Amino acid sequence: MAEMRGCDLVVDYLIKEETPYIFGYAGHGAVGLLDGVYHRQDDIKLVWPRIESAAGYMADAYFRATGVPIPVYTSTGPGPMLLTVAMGNAFFDSSAFIALTGQVATNQFDSGALQEEYRHYAADYPGIARPISKRSFQAHSVDDLAKILPKAFKLAREGRPGPVHVDVPYDLWIRTGEVDSPEPEERSRHLNWRTPGSPEAVARALQLLLAAKRPLILAGGGVLISEASADLAAFAEHVNVPVYTTFMGKGVLSARHPLHLGIAGCWGEYPATEAARNADVILALGARFSDIHCSSWVPGYTYNIPPTKLIHVDLDPAEIGRNYPTELGIVGDAREVLRQLLELAERQGPKRERSPWQEQVEGYKSEWENFIRPHMESDEVPIEPRRLIGDMRRIAPDDTMMITDTGNHQTWVEQYWDVYEPRTVFTPGGFAGMGFGTCGVLGLKLARPERPAVCVTSDGSFGMFPHAVATAVEYDLPCVWVILNNYTIGVIRDLQRFYMDEREIGTSFRKQSTGELWNPDFAKMAEAMGAAAYSIDQPGDIAGAFEAALASGRPAVLDVKVNRDTAVPLIGTWQFPPIVQAEPTFGERLVVT
């Protein structure tokens, strides 16, 4: 065995994993690692945005687009703390990256040295990382690094993906050990984690689905992670059952597919939600039945389970039956179970004919189209948000990668941005970290440079991370940011106005001396950072500016002044205990007697 520095061991292993990039931000605890990267820049490229949170968001988005986990490095203390929001975001959404955080030197543990988390347990950043990572490791020697790295990559990408944390005392970057650089194949490449479902359970699931009068298939984010879009389409077409999704599953089936119903839930699409309310059997794949998707589990708004019978398929047994009782639970990988179902269905007979249920569902689609179309063609000023999303979708190529932050703009995209290919729409789900889209669009462009990368964000989210534009200029990444600027944290302001009888505090951006609405000039900010910029307050200017931004080959920002009083249509409900939930603004609660 050769004497190797810890930094050289780590970088050599990252290259063996065919990791194209390393993201992060320098500090005392990362200096040694960066010395190892310095000598291998032809093999692994360093990209460093202006804050650690951004690096984590970029890696999260990169994984969602490609399935490749990117290492993210930080210094000690504040650096890891700033990464936590991105770790939580990835963990809640079953996305992955490798977090390499610095720690005080091994001979300084429990001394209170620079930035050590020591008052309860020595060098205890791993204690913070545990609830928001798939696993947290701490190395105490160079030999430990050789053992940990293959385990970390294996854990991050296999099964239900998630971020994996490795805490590295900064002396280990420079210390040497008699170790060989490990091989990825030793612990991960030969592992087959794609488990099929029980044959008896799969047969029973198919029987229930085929016997139903009003069957549905629900595709969650697990179907996308499993790369099962083609298998889903093949099975749905053979049994002729409509498909709807969660927001994390959006894009798993093309919006042009005749069986596609859209997203169900509180701020979902009416055809999907109305169908889910009326279904008698639902086959759910890779979905966790969150509160927003399920209208806080209040019967009649998104679901009536029971009497609707639920067949729940998930790789993680802890999710099965978590929020709804199941008629049948199947532990298995979505792709493998879909293949089992299709094989069994094909053996039982030819494709099923169209049913009266499908005619009923087509009626839901027509009702929804008649409702949304006038808003998407509106010439109102201030600009109607649905007009903005509609114009963008009409202009953008089918393979455009769309990413959002958290807020009302997110739900406009949820309802009005049609998706035609898997892994082309990305949004923060369970953890809902602001800034995910503003920074994550950089990761998308690095992952798929040949495709347009567009972030729809808000003045609230963009205001937290505007420096993402500077990073795009620095690295020549022609990303496009579209800011829905309404001078407010809109989703929270709307909650205040509903729950607090129009009282509003701490949610609108105003000059305190005059009370007038105020924001920075985001277009001038973008120009100052070297990007193309457009300020838009007339609906007729949207198309031209967006086309120019896409064609410019430069980072570009569109600051679009939208109507701050336009509410997102509520298709289900959402509880804000103990205050009573709101009623749907389109469609009605279905009361089952």
Side-chain angles (χ1 to χ4, degrees):
M1 293 185 181
E3 285 278 337
M4 291 189 73
R5 296 187 305 171
C7 63
D8 297 322
L9 171 73
V10 170
V11 174
D12 190 62
Y13 183 78
L14 296 179
I15 292 167
K16 287 182 179 180
E17 282 280 4
E18 299 178 356
T19 303
Y21 297 101
I22 182 168
F23 302 156
Y25 198 88
H28 296 81
V31 170
L33 172 62
L34 292 175
D35 191 51
V37 176
Y38 181 85
H39 299 286
R40 305 296 299 274
Q41 292 181 74
D42 289 341
D43 302 307
I44 185 169
K45 185 172 176 60
L46 175 73
V47 179
W48 60 287
R50 304 302 173 107
I51 191 171
E52 292 86 348
S53 313
Y57 281 145
M58 289 166 58
D60 180 354
Y62 193 103
F63 182 86
R64 297 189 200 207
T66 64
V68 175
I70 296 294
V72 178
Y73 69 90
T74 76
S75 183
T76 56
M81 298 294 182
L82 286 167
L83 185 60
T84 54
V85 65
M87 289 176 65
N89 203 71
F91 183 65
F92 275 67
D93 289 351
S94 300
S95 184
F97 60 85
I98 307 296
L100 301 171
T101 62
Q103 187 53 266
V104 297
T106 51
N107 62 0
Q108 294 179 338
F109 276 28
D110 205 29
S111 68
L114 178 67
Q115 300 172 327
E116 183 193 7
E117 309 88 351
Y118 76 97
R119 292 190 182 177
H120 296 282
Y121 299 94
D124 195 33
Y125 180 73
I128 296 168
R130 285 186 195 104
I132 52 172
S133 63
K134 205 169 175 184
R135 185 167 174 185
S136 178
F137 296 93
Q138 188 176 70
H140 297 92
S141 67
V142 175
D143 187 58
D144 281 353
L145 289 172
K147 295 174 183 176
I148 290 169
L149 286 169
K151 294 179 183 179
F153 272 85
K154 177 182 111 174
L155 280 168
R157 63 181 170 226
E158 309 292 17
R160 185 175 187 172
V164 176
H165 168 241
V166 184
D167 203 45
V168 185
Y170 52 68
D171 58 319
L172 298 188
W173 296 129
I174 303 302
R175 287 186 185 274
T176 61
E178 288 190 4
V179 293
D180 287 330
S181 174
E183 296 297 326
E185 291 82 357
E186 290 177 2
R187 298 183 187 274
S188 61
R189 293 282 171 85
H190 297 302
L191 180 68
N192 179 16
W193 58 269
R194 291 188 178 276
T195 55
S198 156
E200 295 80 10
V202 171
R204 174 64 178 151
L206 182 63
Q207 181 185 31
L208 285 166
L209 198 68
L210 295 181
K213 292 182 178 180
R214 300 182 303 280
L216 287 178
I217 297 172
L218 169 63
V223 181
L224 284 171
I225 292 169
S226 187
E227 299 181 336
S229 295
D231 304 281
L232 172 70
F235 175 66
E237 289 165 6
H238 188 85
V239 296
N240 225 335
V241 172
V243 176
Y244 71 110
T245 75
T246 65
F247 200 174
M248 302 309 295
K250 186 177 175 73
V252 69
L253 193 68
S254 170
R256 296 191 179 104
H257 196 288
L259 292 173
H260 171 266
L261 297 181
I263 298 168
C266 173
W267 293 291
E269 296 166 85
Y270 175 73
T273 305
E274 187 67 9
R277 284 192 276 247
N278 285 277
D280 57 358
V281 173
I282 295 172
L283 169 64
L285 301 133
R288 65 184 184 90
F289 291 97
S290 71
D291 58 332
I292 291 177
H293 172 71
C294 299
S295 295
S296 297
W297 312 287
V298 181
Y301 289 93
T302 301
Y303 290 109
N304 287 290
I305 303 173
T308 301
K309 295 178 180 179
L310 174 62
I311 306 163
H312 195 174
V313 179
D314 206 284
L315 190 66
D316 185 350
E319 294 295 354
I320 296 175
R322 180 189 294 279
N323 289 317
Y324 283 118
T326 57
E327 182 75 14
L328 180 64
I330 302 176
V331 178
D333 170 62
R335 190 175 76 183
E336 294 303 309
V337 172
L338 280 165
R339 290 178 178 180
Q340 289 176 286
L341 286 165
L342 179 59
E343 181 182 358
L344 192 58
E346 288 176 336
R347 288 207 307 264
Q348 291 187 8
K351 290 185 177 181
R352 297 180 78 197
E353 297 297 322
R354 189 178 180 88
S355 68
W357 168 237
Q358 286 172 281
E359 299 299 330
Q360 187 175 339
V361 166
E362 287 299 317
Y364 303 155
K365 288 184 180 181
S366 297
E367 289 180 66
W368 181 240
E369 180 66 21
N370 292 337
F371 171 70
I372 66 174
R373 185 54 51 190
H375 300 293
M376 297 178 76
E377 297 171 353
S378 170
D379 289 326
E380 291 180 4
V381 177
I383 292 170
E384 160 68 64
R386 288 167 278 196
R387 164 67 185 270
L388 171 62
I389 302 299
D391 279 7
M392 289 173 60
R393 179 65 282 186
R394 177 173 51 82
I395 292 163
D398 284 3
D399 66 351
T400 296
M401 298 181 294
M402 164 61 70
I403 189 168
T404 80
D405 277 305
T406 298
N408 280 343
H409 67 276
Q410 179 185 29
T411 48
W412 294 125
V413 169
E414 181 176 6
Q415 290 183 335
Y416 299 103
W417 179 271
D418 285 340
V419 181
Y420 308 118
E421 297 181 18
R423 293 186 187 261
T424 54
V425 67
F426 311 89
T427 197
F431 204 59
M434 292 178 73
F436 166 74
T438 300
C439 303
V441 70
L442 303 169
L444 292 182
K445 195 62 182 177
L446 289 166
R448 296 279 185 257
E450 75 284 0
R451 295 185 174 197
V454 177
C455 170
V456 165
T457 184
S458 65
D459 47 331
S461 287
F462 187 81
M464 290 185 175
F465 294 92
H467 47 73
V469 178
T471 303
V473 172
E474 185 176 358
Y475 288 92
D476 296 314
L477 300 174
C479 305
V480 177
W481 289 265
V482 180
I483 304 169
L484 276 70
N485 188 349
N486 59 4
Y487 300 91
T488 185
I489 309 170
V491 71
I492 307 304
R493 171 178 168 264
D494 290 351
L495 284 171
Q496 286 181 334
R497 296 177 80 183
F498 177 77
Y499 293 122
M500 296 167 56
D501 298 322
E502 299 292 331
R503 296 191 301 278
E504 173 194 335
I505 183 171
T507 50
S508 285
F509 300 112
R510 299 179 184 275
K511 278 197 172 182
Q512 295 303 299
S513 58
T514 64
E516 66 179 312
L517 296 171
W518 181 86
N519 257 327
D521 188 324
F522 294 120
K524 287 184 177 178
M525 285 175 62
E527 286 179 341
M529 288 185 279
Y534 309 83
S535 185
I536 302 167
D537 57 17
Q538 297 295 318
D541 295 336
I542 295 168
F546 187 58
E547 285 177 334
L550 289 174
S552 69
R554 300 170 57 197
V557 172
L558 280 67
D559 181 7
V560 186
K561 312 304 189 300
V562 298
N563 191 330
R564 70 195 313 262
D565 294 321
T566 302
V568 179
L570 193 64
I571 309 303
T573 191
W574 185 57
Q575 285 189 331
F576 194 57
I579 302 169
V580 67
Q581 72 268 5
E583 293 301 310
T585 54
F586 186 81
E588 297 178 355
R589 178 186 181 187
L590 177 66
V591 179
V592 177
T593 58

